[in-house]
Amino acid sequence: MLSLSEGTVYTYPQGANVTVCAKLQDGWNNGLVITKDKVTTSSSSSSSNSSEVDASIDSAIAHFTFVVTKGLRTTIGICKPTIEWQSFVNETKDGWGLFVSTGNIGHNGPTDIPYYDAQPIHEGDTVVVQIDRDQRTIRYFVNDVDCGIAFTDIPANTNYHAAVSLYAHGDKVAYHGMTIGPYKAGEVPSPPTTSSSSSSSSSSSSSSSSS
C-alpha cells in the first residue's frame, strides 16, 4: 500500500491477507492510499486480445475488496498511478470513486452523481470495486448487492490501482486484496479478527463536509 506520507495514513497488516489503512489526521487532501494491485485495460481496438495487457492477469475481470471499518466519509475506487496525491480519489481526471456516506459516485469532480441508494452503507459493510478491462467499465457491490455499472469508457491501455481516500482522524478501511474474476455472492469477508496486532486502534472522529 502506498500513502501520501507516514504522518497522515498508517497502513499495517491484519492477518495474512488484510491490510488496514488508518487516518492519523483530519483533512480531505491528505488521506489518499493506493494499493500495489494493478489491472491494465485492453486497447479499444482489440478488446479480446489479452496478450496486449498485463500478463499477470488472466481474466478480463478483477475486483478489489474493502471493508469500511470506521468512519463513513471515505471514497473507494480506482485510480491511475499518475493521480495527484493531494486530492480525493474522485477529484481528478485520474480517479473514479464511490463516496461511502451518500452512495454517490464521481470522476474529475465531486461525488454528486446518484448511484447506490438501496440503503445506507454502514461501518462493517463490504464495498467491492470491479473492473472489466475489456469492456472498460467499473461497477460496485455493497455487501452482496450488485449496484450496476458506475463508470463506462475508462481509458484503454492504462494501468489502474485500487484506491481509497480517508477523511477524518480515526477513519479506517480494511483492504482484502484483489481477486481475478467476477465478484460472486457470498464472497463478503468476515470481519478481521482483532489479535493484539500493532497499535493504531486510533480513536474515531466523525466529521462534516463532503468531497
Side-chain angles (χ1 to χ4, degrees), residues 97-162:
L98 167 75
F99 190 46
V100 170
S101 178
T102 62
N104 290 351
I105 55 174
H107 163 63
N108 200 23
T111 48
D112 57 2
I113 303 169
Y115 173 63
Y116 175 74
D117 59 2
Q119 59 183 9
I121 299 173
H122 300 98
E123 292 179 354
D125 285 351
T126 299
V127 177
V128 174
V129 189
Q130 180 168 290
I131 182 170
D132 186 322
R133 65 178 190 172
D134 284 353
Q135 298 301 316
R136 296 186 289 122
T137 58
I138 301 167
R139 73 194 306 139
Y140 287 87
F141 296 80
V142 176
N143 297 328
D144 270 341
V145 177
D146 182 352
C147 304
I149 292 176
F151 302 102
T152 59
D153 297 320
I154 62 175
N157 292 325
T158 302
N159 293 331
Y160 295 94
H161 297 261

Side-chain angles (χ1 to χ4, degrees), residues 33-56:
V33 182
I34 301 175
T35 73
K36 294 181 180 178
D37 293 328
K38 179 187 74 174
V39 174
T40 306
T41 48
S42 302
S43 69
S44 52
S45 59
S46 178
S47 63
S48 63
N49 186 354
S50 60
S51 65
E52 295 184 7
V53 296
D54 190 345
S56 65

Side-chain angles (χ1 to χ4, degrees), residues 55-211:
S56 65
I57 306 295
D58 57 4
S59 168
I61 296 175
H63 60 276
F64 309 94
T65 302
F66 293 86
V67 174
V68 181
T69 308
K70 183 173 289 187
L72 300 178
R73 307 199 73 79
T74 295
T75 300
I76 296 172
I78 67 165
C79 69
K80 300 178 186 178
T82 51
I83 192 171
E84 298 173 25
W85 278 104
Q86 293 182 320
S87 66
F88 250 53
V89 173
N90 54 279
E91 287 286 349
T92 79
K93 61 182 176 57
D94 293 333
W96 294 256
L98 167 75
F99 190 46
V100 170
S101 178
T102 62
N104 290 351
I105 55 174
H107 163 63
N108 200 23
T111 48
D112 57 2
I113 303 169
Y115 173 63
Y116 175 74
D117 59 2
Q119 59 183 9
I121 299 173
H122 300 98
E123 292 179 354
D125 285 351
T126 299
V127 177
V128 174
V129 189
Q130 180 168 290
I131 182 170
D132 186 322
R133 65 178 190 172
D134 284 353
Q135 298 301 316
R136 296 186 289 122
T137 58
I138 301 167
R139 73 194 306 139
Y140 287 87
F141 296 80
V142 176
N143 297 328
D144 270 341
V145 177
D146 182 352
C147 304
I149 292 176
F151 302 102
T152 59
D153 297 320
I154 62 175
N157 292 325
T158 302
N159 293 331
Y160 295 94
H161 297 261
V164 59
S165 287
L166 301 172
Y167 183 87
H169 174 250
D171 286 355
K172 291 183 186 178
V173 297
Y175 176 59
H176 288 248
M178 179 178 76
T179 304
I180 305 306
Y183 178 76
K184 298 176 183 176
E187 216 176 290
V188 177
S190 301
T193 56
T194 46
S195 56
S196 52
S197 62
S198 316
S199 45
S200 197
S201 20
S202 313
S203 55
S204 70
S205 218
S206 283
S207 144
S208 38
S209 190
S210 138
S211 57

